[in-house]
mmCIF file of all heavy atoms in Angstrom:
data_model
loop_
_atom_site.group_PDB
_atom_site.id
_atom_site.type_symbol
_atom_site.label_atom_id
_atom_site.label_comp_id
_atom_site.label_asym_id
_atom_site.label_seq_id
_atom_site.Cartn_x
_atom_site.Cartn_y
_atom_site.Cartn_z
ATOM 1 N N SER A 1 33.633 136.094 151.641
ATOM 2 C CA SER A 1 34.750 136.151 152.682
ATOM 3 C C SER A 1 35.640 137.373 152.480
ATOM 4 O O SER A 1 36.353 137.805 153.368
ATOM 5 C CB SER A 1 35.508 134.896 152.694
ATOM 6 O OG SER A 1 36.376 134.802 151.576
ATOM 7 N N LEU A 2 35.662 137.946 151.257
ATOM 8 C CA LEU A 2 36.408 139.111 151.021
ATOM 9 C C LEU A 2 35.876 140.348 151.778
ATOM 10 O O LEU A 2 36.649 141.362 151.973
ATOM 11 C CB LEU A 2 36.506 139.365 149.553
ATOM 12 C CG LEU A 2 37.145 138.317 148.677
ATOM 13 C CD1 LEU A 2 36.934 138.689 147.188
ATOM 14 C CD2 LEU A 2 38.594 138.061 149.061
ATOM 15 N N TYR A 3 34.647 140.290 152.215
ATOM 16 C CA TYR A 3 34.108 141.401 153.001
ATOM 17 C C TYR A 3 33.743 140.966 154.440
ATOM 18 O O TYR A 3 33.937 141.736 155.322
ATOM 19 C CB TYR A 3 32.835 141.887 152.360
ATOM 20 C CG TYR A 3 32.158 142.983 153.218
ATOM 21 C CD1 TYR A 3 32.675 144.235 153.199
ATOM 22 C CD2 TYR A 3 31.033 142.705 153.931
ATOM 23 C CE1 TYR A 3 32.120 145.197 153.998
ATOM 24 C CE2 TYR A 3 30.443 143.668 154.734
ATOM 25 C CZ TYR A 3 30.984 144.931 154.778
ATOM 26 O OH TYR A 3 30.494 145.878 155.579
ATOM 27 N N ALA A 4 33.293 139.739 154.661
ATOM 28 C CA ALA A 4 32.844 139.286 155.969
ATOM 29 C C ALA A 4 33.957 139.402 156.953
ATOM 30 O O ALA A 4 35.102 139.087 156.615
ATOM 31 C CB ALA A 4 32.299 137.893 155.893
ATOM 32 N N GLU A 5 33.617 139.832 158.139
ATOM 33 C CA GLU A 5 34.647 139.877 159.188
ATOM 34 C C GLU A 5 34.959 138.529 159.750
ATOM 35 O O GLU A 5 36.026 138.381 160.292
ATOM 36 C CB GLU A 5 34.267 140.850 160.235
ATOM 37 C CG GLU A 5 33.068 140.576 161.117
ATOM 38 C CD GLU A 5 32.843 141.695 162.095
ATOM 39 O OE1 GLU A 5 32.388 142.739 161.678
ATOM 40 O OE2 GLU A 5 33.126 141.510 163.318
ATOM 41 N N LYS A 6 34.015 137.568 159.572
ATOM 42 C CA LYS A 6 34.368 136.261 160.050
ATOM 43 C C LYS A 6 33.570 135.267 159.246
ATOM 44 O O LYS A 6 32.366 135.484 158.920
ATOM 45 C CB LYS A 6 34.056 136.044 161.534
ATOM 46 C CG LYS A 6 34.424 134.721 162.052
ATOM 47 C CD LYS A 6 34.506 134.660 163.542
ATOM 48 C CE LYS A 6 35.028 133.325 163.990
ATOM 49 N NZ LYS A 6 35.246 133.322 165.371
ATOM 50 N N THR A 7 34.159 134.057 158.955
ATOM 51 C CA THR A 7 33.460 132.955 158.317
ATOM 52 C C THR A 7 33.480 131.841 159.253
ATOM 53 O O THR A 7 34.501 131.442 159.876
ATOM 54 C CB THR A 7 34.187 132.513 156.989
ATOM 55 O OG1 THR A 7 34.125 133.631 156.126
ATOM 56 C CG2 THR A 7 33.504 131.347 156.387
ATOM 57 N N ILE A 8 32.179 131.260 159.511
ATOM 58 C CA ILE A 8 32.035 130.124 160.438
ATOM 59 C C ILE A 8 31.558 128.986 159.534
ATOM 60 O O ILE A 8 30.504 129.040 158.917
ATOM 61 C CB ILE A 8 31.047 130.460 161.533
ATOM 62 C CG1 ILE A 8 31.594 131.561 162.432
ATOM 63 C CG2 ILE A 8 30.740 129.188 162.291
ATOM 64 C CD1 ILE A 8 30.610 132.110 163.390
ATOM 65 N N ALA A 9 32.433 127.943 159.425
ATOM 66 C CA ALA A 9 32.120 126.846 158.460
ATOM 67 C C ALA A 9 32.380 125.510 159.094
ATOM 68 O O ALA A 9 33.376 125.335 159.821
ATOM 69 C CB ALA A 9 32.860 126.976 157.151
ATOM 70 N N GLY A 10 31.478 124.559 158.821
ATOM 71 C CA GLY A 10 31.772 123.173 159.225
ATOM 72 C C GLY A 10 31.131 122.783 160.548
ATOM 73 O O GLY A 10 31.384 121.674 161.021
ATOM 74 N N TYR A 11 30.321 123.669 161.138
ATOM 75 C CA TYR A 11 29.730 123.362 162.432
ATOM 76 C C TYR A 11 28.278 122.948 162.317
ATOM 77 O O TYR A 11 27.505 123.009 163.312
ATOM 78 C CB TYR A 11 29.864 124.518 163.389
ATOM 79 C CG TYR A 11 31.297 124.751 163.755
ATOM 80 C CD1 TYR A 11 32.103 125.677 163.087
ATOM 81 C CD2 TYR A 11 31.965 124.041 164.762
ATOM 82 C CE1 TYR A 11 33.446 125.908 163.436
ATOM 83 C CE2 TYR A 11 33.295 124.317 165.172
ATOM 84 C CZ TYR A 11 34.024 125.208 164.391
ATOM 85 O OH TYR A 11 35.313 125.470 164.772
ATOM 86 N N GLY A 12 27.838 122.645 161.094
ATOM 87 C CA GLY A 12 26.408 122.327 160.930
ATOM 88 C C GLY A 12 25.590 123.520 161.210
ATOM 89 O O GLY A 12 26.006 124.716 161.123
ATOM 90 N N LEU A 13 24.316 123.308 161.594
ATOM 91 C CA LEU A 13 23.419 124.403 161.869
ATOM 92 C C LEU A 13 23.845 125.265 163.119
ATOM 93 O O LEU A 13 23.508 126.448 163.225
ATOM 94 C CB LEU A 13 21.994 123.932 162.111
ATOM 95 C CG LEU A 13 21.401 123.141 160.863
ATOM 96 C CD1 LEU A 13 19.914 122.764 161.198
ATOM 97 C CD2 LEU A 13 21.507 123.976 159.631
ATOM 98 N N GLU A 14 24.599 124.594 163.948
ATOM 99 C CA GLU A 14 25.149 125.351 165.091
ATOM 100 C C GLU A 14 25.972 126.625 164.724
ATOM 101 O O GLU A 14 26.089 127.541 165.497
ATOM 102 C CB GLU A 14 26.033 124.393 165.988
ATOM 103 C CG GLU A 14 26.620 125.003 167.227
ATOM 104 C CD GLU A 14 25.576 125.495 168.275
ATOM 105 O OE1 GLU A 14 24.395 125.021 168.222
ATOM 106 O OE2 GLU A 14 25.940 126.271 169.105
ATOM 107 N N GLY A 15 26.516 126.592 163.515
ATOM 108 C CA GLY A 15 27.234 127.682 163.031
ATOM 109 C C GLY A 15 26.432 129.041 163.020
ATOM 110 O O GLY A 15 26.975 130.119 163.296
ATOM 111 N N TYR A 16 25.194 128.911 162.824
ATOM 112 C CA TYR A 16 24.340 130.109 162.886
ATOM 113 C C TYR A 16 24.215 130.632 164.292
ATOM 114 O O TYR A 16 24.334 131.843 164.505
ATOM 115 C CB TYR A 16 22.901 129.748 162.428
ATOM 116 C CG TYR A 16 22.754 129.519 160.917
ATOM 117 C CD1 TYR A 16 22.944 128.261 160.387
ATOM 118 C CD2 TYR A 16 22.371 130.517 160.077
ATOM 119 C CE1 TYR A 16 22.847 128.019 159.044
ATOM 120 C CE2 TYR A 16 22.188 130.260 158.722
ATOM 121 C CZ TYR A 16 22.457 129.073 158.171
ATOM 122 O OH TYR A 16 22.306 128.843 156.859
ATOM 123 N N ARG A 17 24.063 129.782 165.231
ATOM 124 C CA ARG A 17 24.016 130.187 166.667
ATOM 125 C C ARG A 17 25.385 130.834 167.074
ATOM 126 O O ARG A 17 25.356 131.882 167.724
ATOM 127 C CB ARG A 17 23.720 128.962 167.513
ATOM 128 C CG ARG A 17 23.515 129.340 168.988
ATOM 129 C CD ARG A 17 23.091 128.120 169.774
ATOM 130 N NE ARG A 17 22.860 128.440 171.155
ATOM 131 C CZ ARG A 17 23.822 128.640 172.128
ATOM 132 N NH1 ARG A 17 25.118 128.504 171.722
ATOM 133 N NH2 ARG A 17 23.497 129.015 173.299
ATOM 134 N N MET A 18 26.459 130.219 166.598
ATOM 135 C CA MET A 18 27.768 130.832 166.926
ATOM 136 C C MET A 18 27.891 132.200 166.327
ATOM 137 O O MET A 18 28.391 133.097 167.032
ATOM 138 C CB MET A 18 28.855 129.836 166.303
ATOM 139 C CG MET A 18 28.925 128.500 166.964
ATOM 140 S SD MET A 18 29.904 127.267 166.113
ATOM 141 C CE MET A 18 31.531 127.974 166.223
ATOM 142 N N ALA A 19 27.444 132.393 165.081
ATOM 143 C CA ALA A 19 27.521 133.727 164.505
ATOM 144 C C ALA A 19 26.704 134.714 165.233
ATOM 145 O O ALA A 19 27.067 135.864 165.427
ATOM 146 C CB ALA A 19 27.148 133.644 163.001
ATOM 147 N N ILE A 20 25.437 134.373 165.643
ATOM 148 C CA ILE A 20 24.565 135.214 166.343
ATOM 149 C C ILE A 20 25.159 135.644 167.714
ATOM 150 O O ILE A 20 25.153 136.798 168.027
ATOM 151 C CB ILE A 20 23.171 134.565 166.512
ATOM 152 C CG1 ILE A 20 22.418 134.464 165.166
ATOM 153 C CG2 ILE A 20 22.304 135.331 167.555
ATOM 154 C CD1 ILE A 20 21.259 133.506 165.134
ATOM 155 N N LEU A 21 25.690 134.692 168.417
ATOM 156 C CA LEU A 21 26.284 134.988 169.685
ATOM 157 C C LEU A 21 27.504 135.893 169.570
ATOM 158 O O LEU A 21 27.642 136.884 170.321
ATOM 159 C CB LEU A 21 26.681 133.691 170.448
ATOM 160 C CG LEU A 21 25.499 132.772 170.837
ATOM 161 C CD1 LEU A 21 26.068 131.532 171.519
ATOM 162 C CD2 LEU A 21 24.514 133.495 171.730
ATOM 163 N N GLU A 22 28.338 135.642 168.575
ATOM 164 C CA GLU A 22 29.517 136.444 168.418
ATOM 165 C C GLU A 22 29.131 137.872 167.974
ATOM 166 O O GLU A 22 29.677 138.852 168.385
ATOM 167 C CB GLU A 22 30.505 135.843 167.405
ATOM 168 C CG GLU A 22 31.742 136.604 167.298
ATOM 169 C CD GLU A 22 32.918 135.807 166.792
ATOM 170 O OE1 GLU A 22 32.874 134.553 166.752
ATOM 171 O OE2 GLU A 22 33.893 136.484 166.373
ATOM 172 N N ALA A 23 28.201 137.890 167.002
ATOM 173 C CA ALA A 23 27.732 139.274 166.547
ATOM 174 C C ALA A 23 27.097 140.048 167.684
ATOM 175 O O ALA A 23 27.322 141.267 167.808
ATOM 176 C CB ALA A 23 26.702 139.081 165.453
ATOM 177 N N ALA A 24 26.342 139.421 168.557
ATOM 178 C CA ALA A 24 25.754 140.054 169.692
ATOM 179 C C ALA A 24 26.825 140.646 170.630
ATOM 180 O O ALA A 24 26.646 141.724 171.118
ATOM 181 C CB ALA A 24 24.760 139.147 170.450
ATOM 182 N N ARG A 25 27.812 139.818 170.870
ATOM 183 C CA ARG A 25 28.909 140.310 171.792
ATOM 184 C C ARG A 25 29.585 141.516 171.196
ATOM 185 O O ARG A 25 29.966 142.448 171.892
ATOM 186 C CB ARG A 25 29.951 139.206 172.012
ATOM 187 C CG ARG A 25 29.619 138.174 173.050
ATOM 188 C CD ARG A 25 30.755 137.296 173.432
ATOM 189 N NE ARG A 25 31.242 136.491 172.336
ATOM 190 C CZ ARG A 25 30.747 135.324 171.997
ATOM 191 N NH1 ARG A 25 29.748 134.757 172.657
ATOM 192 N NH2 ARG A 25 31.264 134.644 170.962
ATOM 193 N N LYS A 26 29.764 141.513 169.927
ATOM 194 C CA LYS A 26 30.511 142.568 169.223
ATOM 195 C C LYS A 26 29.732 143.842 168.938
ATOM 196 O O LYS A 26 30.233 144.903 169.056
ATOM 197 C CB LYS A 26 31.083 142.041 167.970
ATOM 198 C CG LYS A 26 32.154 142.921 167.385
ATOM 199 C CD LYS A 26 33.027 142.204 166.437
ATOM 200 C CE LYS A 26 34.148 143.037 166.012
ATOM 201 N NZ LYS A 26 35.085 142.436 165.109
ATOM 202 N N TYR A 27 28.375 143.654 168.686
ATOM 203 C CA TYR A 27 27.589 144.800 168.227
ATOM 204 C C TYR A 27 26.446 145.156 169.133
ATOM 205 O O TYR A 27 25.532 145.880 168.712
ATOM 206 C CB TYR A 27 27.164 144.551 166.807
ATOM 207 C CG TYR A 27 28.328 144.463 165.850
ATOM 208 C CD1 TYR A 27 28.696 143.241 165.309
ATOM 209 C CD2 TYR A 27 29.057 145.563 165.570
ATOM 210 C CE1 TYR A 27 29.837 143.133 164.560
ATOM 211 C CE2 TYR A 27 30.208 145.513 164.766
ATOM 212 C CZ TYR A 27 30.535 144.264 164.275
ATOM 213 O OH TYR A 27 31.619 144.250 163.468
ATOM 214 N N LYS A 28 26.410 144.664 170.338
ATOM 215 C CA LYS A 28 25.335 144.882 171.274
ATOM 216 C C LYS A 28 25.289 146.454 171.537
ATOM 217 O O LYS A 28 26.268 147.077 171.778
ATOM 218 C CB LYS A 28 25.437 144.246 172.499
ATOM 219 C CG LYS A 28 24.195 144.236 173.367
ATOM 220 C CD LYS A 28 24.147 143.170 174.413
ATOM 221 C CE LYS A 28 22.764 143.158 174.978
ATOM 222 N NZ LYS A 28 22.353 141.910 175.461
ATOM 223 N N LYS A 29 24.088 147.001 171.399
ATOM 224 C CA LYS A 29 23.905 148.455 171.591
ATOM 225 C C LYS A 29 23.302 148.725 172.972
ATOM 226 O O LYS A 29 22.486 147.967 173.444
ATOM 227 C CB LYS A 29 23.108 149.095 170.490
ATOM 228 C CG LYS A 29 23.869 149.111 169.251
ATOM 229 C CD LYS A 29 23.021 149.834 168.177
ATOM 230 C CE LYS A 29 23.780 149.984 166.909
ATOM 231 N NZ LYS A 29 23.176 150.817 165.939
#
């Protein structure tokens, strides 16, 4: 967390989907 721009915790496996969607919004080329 000292490097990560965001931590998603406590959402079960759905947290992976949340991270993928957010990363895509932010870093789509």
Side-chain angles (χ1 to χ4, degrees):
S1 73
L2 299 175
Y3 176 76
E5 64 183 74
K6 183 164 189 174
T7 298
I8 298 171
Y11 293 95
L13 301 184
E14 181 65 17
Y16 288 86
R17 186 174 182 283
M18 294 166 67
I20 290 164
L21 296 178
E22 186 159 341
R25 277 193 298 273
K26 194 159 188 180
Y27 297 106
K28 192 160 191 155
K29 290 185 173 186

